[in-house]
Amino acid sequence: METNVNIKAIECPNCGANATNFQNCEYCGSLLVRFKDLNIAIDPNKYGKTAVTFAGLKDALLENLKEQERTQGLNHVHTWIRNSALGINIEVVNPRATKDMVYFETDMLYHIMPLNDYTEAEQSLVICFRFVELSWEITNFDSNAADIHDYHQALHERFSAMSEFPLFNYIEENLLTTAGTKQGKVHSYYIDFGQDYEGAAEILTQYLMFMYQIPSPTTVRLDYELTSETEEEYVSSVQEEKSFNKGLLIFALLALCGGAIMGFCNGDSEGILVGCGCIVMLLLILARLNN
C-alpha cells in the first residue's frame, strides 16, 4: 500500500518555484523563502531584483564565498564592513570562524567564546549581532562601562524592532575575563545566509540603514576588508592577543600600585579614598591576571 506524504511547499519569491527548503530555495538558493515561511512582508524596494544595496557589498560577500571555496572551508574567513565616521564595524564570516574568540573592550579587554555549533566545513555566509550586558560589579566601578552597557541596551531594543528580527537565531553567550570568569552576558543574534550573497547584502543594507539611521545606501560609503587565516595562524593570533592584553593589565597594575601609595601617603580623606579605589581596581585586575 502506498502512503501519500504531503510535503509543505512555499512559492519562492525570487524564482517562483515550489520550494520545500525553507532556509534557501533548492532551485535558486534565495533566502527570501524564509520571509514567506515566517510571514514577513517583502518590500520589493528592499528585496529582490529592484532592491538597492550599498555599493560594493554584494561583491565583497561574493569574494568571501570564493575564498571559502578556495580554502575548502578550512580557513577562518572574515569580511569586515566598516565606516569609521558612523562607527560601523561588523563582520561576515564562514562557519569555521563562528567559533572564533570575539574581543570586547571597555577600560579592560574581555572576550566572548561563541557557543554555536555550525559544521565547520560548510561554505556559507554567517553574521552575528551582539549586544553586551555587563554585570553590576563592572558598571558600579567603571562609568565608561556603565555608558557602554546602556548604549548596548538601547541598540538591542532598536534591533528587536526591525521587521527582519524574526529571521535571527538567539543565543545567550558569556562575556569572560582573561581569567575565564564571567563578567556579563552577551545577547547574540545569528543568521546563516547560506550562499545567497545577494539576499545577505539586502538584509545587511536594511540592518545598517535601520540601526544607523541612514536614509539611503547611496548616501554612505562602506569600506570592505577580506581576511583569511589558517588554523595555525588563528591560534597564533589568539596567543598574541592574550599576551598583549596581559601586558596592558600588568602596566595598569603598576600604575594603580603607585596611585594607592601616593593616595595613602597624602594622608587626607581624599587621598585615602583614592588609595582605597586603587586597591579595589588592583583586586579586579589581579583576578583577571589569575589564569
Side-chain angles (χ1 to χ4, degrees):
M1 180 183 293
E2 293 184 0
T3 303
N4 292 322
V5 179
N6 294 320
I7 300 175
K8 182 182 175 184
I10 290 177
E11 182 180 335
C12 175
N14 185 60
C15 69
N18 289 324
T20 56
N21 183 331
F22 299 162
Q23 291 300 300
N24 292 82
C25 173
E26 63 265 39
Y27 298 99
C28 69
S30 174
L31 57 75
L32 292 182
V33 290
R34 305 180 195 185
F35 286 73
K36 274 289 192 75
D37 184 42
L38 296 171
N39 294 317
I40 300 173
I42 300 175
D43 185 337
N45 295 315
K46 298 177 180 179
Y47 296 98
K49 295 177 176 61
T50 60
V52 178
T53 58
F54 286 95
L57 182 53
K58 288 182 181 180
D59 289 338
L61 298 179
L62 179 57
E63 287 302 310
N64 185 302
L65 287 172
K66 288 180 178 178
E67 177 63 12
Q68 291 186 47
E69 184 177 8
R70 185 187 73 81
T71 60
Q72 299 182 328
L74 299 177
N75 275 22
H76 298 248
V77 182
H78 297 246
T79 294
W80 296 91
I81 303 168
R82 299 186 176 105
N83 179 291
S84 56
L86 294 176
I88 296 172
N89 187 30
I90 62 177
E91 57 181 323
V92 180
V93 303
N94 68 327
R96 178 172 287 273
T98 60
K99 295 180 172 65
D100 290 0
M101 240 182 228
V102 179
Y103 297 99
F104 174 77
E105 189 171 2
T106 57
D107 286 342
M108 298 295 178
L109 185 68
Y110 304 96
H111 70 264
I112 301 159
M113 180 56 75
L115 303 176
N116 60 77
D117 57 354
Y118 285 100
T119 302
E120 294 184 358
E122 289 178 356
Q123 295 179 26
S124 65
L125 299 167
V126 185
I127 196 167
C128 180
F129 296 122
R130 292 182 169 93
F131 306 96
V132 173
E133 183 179 332
L134 293 163
S135 63
W136 68 269
E137 293 96 334
I138 301 298
T139 55
N140 278 12
F141 289 104
D142 187 341
S143 59
N144 181 50
D147 290 341
I148 291 172
H149 172 90
D150 294 342
Y151 175 68
H152 274 253
Q153 186 176 37
L155 284 180
H156 190 187
E157 291 175 359
R158 187 185 304 173
F159 174 64
S160 64
M162 277 189 67
S163 59
E164 293 84 356
F165 179 73
L167 295 170
F168 291 79
N169 296 315
Y170 174 74
I171 300 176
E172 183 180 303
E173 298 173 335
N174 293 329
L175 185 69
L176 305 172
T177 66
T178 53
T181 57
K182 181 179 176 181
Q183 291 296 318
K185 59 185 177 181
V186 187
H187 302 284
S188 300
Y189 294 87
Y190 287 87
I191 184 168
D192 186 335
F193 300 112
Q195 297 187 33
D196 183 5
Y197 65 93
E198 293 182 334
E202 291 163 2
I203 289 177
L204 290 176
T205 292
Q206 294 310 310
Y207 170 84
L208 291 169
M209 289 176 63
F210 186 85
M211 296 297 288
Y212 293 91
Q213 300 178 336
I214 300 170
S216 167
T218 60
T219 61
V220 169
R221 176 187 169 184
L222 299 176
D223 297 314
Y224 309 103
E225 180 186 4
L226 177 69
T227 62
S228 182
E229 290 183 310
T230 64
E231 184 67 21
E232 293 75 16
E233 289 169 337
Y234 168 70
V235 171
S236 176
S237 67
V238 168
Q239 292 305 317
E240 287 177 10
E241 190 71 46
K242 284 183 176 180
S243 298
F244 178 72
N245 183 39
K246 185 171 286 189
L248 287 178
L249 290 176
I250 290 172
F251 177 79
L253 183 68
L254 294 173
L256 285 169
C257 282
I261 292 169
M262 289 178 64
F264 285 119
C265 286
N266 196 37
D268 57 19
S269 58
E270 187 176 338
I272 292 171
L273 242 153
V274 170
C276 290
C278 287
I279 287 175
V280 170
M281 291 303 295
L282 280 168
L283 292 173
L284 289 172
I285 290 175
L286 284 170
R288 287 158 178 68
L289 286 170
N290 185 31
N291 63 349

